[in-house]
Amino acid sequence: EDRRAKHKEYVQKVDFTDLKAFEAIIKSLPTSLILHLGNSSTVRYAQLFPIDSNIELYCNRGTSGIDGSTSTAIGTSVVAKKQTMLITGDLSFFYDSNAFWNDHLPSSFRIILLNNSGGGIFRILPGAKETSGFDKFFETQHKLTAKSLCDMYQMDYLLVDNTEDLEEALEGFYIETGQARVLEVDTSGCANDEILLNYFDNIL
């Protein structure tokens, strides 16, 4: 109980970051959903919040943690009778973008893309930030967004970068619109690593 109280208090007071975004996303999930999680940061953040037991939950561990997450989720969406959604990070999303190159993508399919402009998970691993070439070879920094990919594959696209806009976007995100949809959450300018590390310090 004490840990839950500390968790709630901390998440309520922090600025918009990956952690804050996951709070809003998990709260918004329909219980009839099939949910796929991308690897690494996505799984680590998702496990910090209670997910309704009625939601079917899957994760595909691909090569180096980024290969095949999107393909697996889309494969599920094609054969499943329920709506399927993927929550994923930017490196996984862009690496497996050929997954959209097919004619079978259901209009009900949804993706929430957490874009912090690189492999943010490496910023919380001990010693990683002090490694030579960290930005290029570990974090793989970039300035890409999903907009052009969504245009090419004819998917609806939304971009948000704050809590209020995210919560508003999520209100109608799961409704059938005739096209698959991508909601990109830009946290590239946020202190994601500091907020997450302080989170663990605060709840222990």
Side-chain angles (χ1 to χ4, degrees):
E1 282 299 321
D2 184 51
R3 186 193 65 80
R4 290 192 185 97
K6 288 180 179 179
H7 163 93
K8 184 177 181 180
E9 180 183 2
Y10 183 83
V11 176
Q12 282 182 341
K13 71 181 181 182
V14 296
D15 294 332
F16 185 69
T17 53
D18 287 341
L19 181 68
K20 194 77 170 178
F22 265 91
E23 178 193 33
I25 293 165
I26 299 302
K27 281 182 179 178
S28 77
L29 298 176
T31 57
S32 59
L33 198 68
I34 296 176
L35 178 61
H36 278 252
L37 297 175
N39 279 255
S40 218
S41 289
T42 302
V43 173
R44 286 173 169 85
Y45 278 111
Q47 69 181 358
L48 300 178
F49 300 91
I51 297 176
D52 193 289
S53 59
N54 291 305
I55 294 173
E56 291 186 51
L57 188 58
Y58 300 95
C59 180
N60 175 48
R61 181 67 178 176
T63 304
S64 300
I66 60 175
D67 184 30
S69 297
T70 307
S71 296
T72 303
I74 290 176
T76 299
S77 74
V78 171
V79 300
K81 296 179 180 179
K82 297 195 293 185
Q83 184 176 40
T84 302
M85 187 176 83
L86 169 68
I87 304 175
T88 187
D90 46 289
L91 295 190
S92 293
F93 177 84
F94 292 119
Y95 186 88
D96 199 22
S97 61
N98 279 344
F100 300 110
W101 196 2
N102 67 80
D103 297 324
H104 309 291
L105 191 64
S107 60
S108 63
F109 184 63
R110 299 290 181 266
I111 290 181
I112 296 181
L113 165 60
L114 276 293
N115 190 343
N116 53 30
S117 296
I121 188 62
F122 293 107
R123 289 191 167 271
I124 71 167
L125 299 179
K129 284 190 286 188
E130 287 73 45
T131 303
S132 175
F134 170 79
D135 294 347
K136 183 176 182 179
F137 298 110
F138 279 81
E139 191 173 26
T140 320
Q141 290 183 357
H142 65 84
K143 296 181 180 180
L144 300 174
T145 73
K147 186 178 187 309
S148 294
L149 273 172
C150 290
D151 289 343
M152 181 167 66
Y153 292 115
Q154 299 182 328
M155 296 184 289
D156 286 341
Y157 174 75
L158 297 165
L159 175 66
V160 298
D161 62 3
N162 60 75
T163 303
E164 293 74 20
D165 288 348
L166 173 59
E167 290 176 343
E168 183 178 344
L170 287 168
E171 287 180 7
F173 186 63
Y174 307 97
I175 298 171
E176 177 64 63
T177 59
Q179 283 185 308
R181 308 185 79 186
V182 174
L183 172 57
E184 183 165 8
V185 184
D186 180 2
T187 62
S188 58
C190 304
N192 292 303
D193 54 331
E194 294 177 20
I195 295 295
L196 184 60
L197 290 171
N198 286 338
Y199 168 85
F200 292 116
D201 289 339
N202 273 266
I203 66 168
L204 295 177

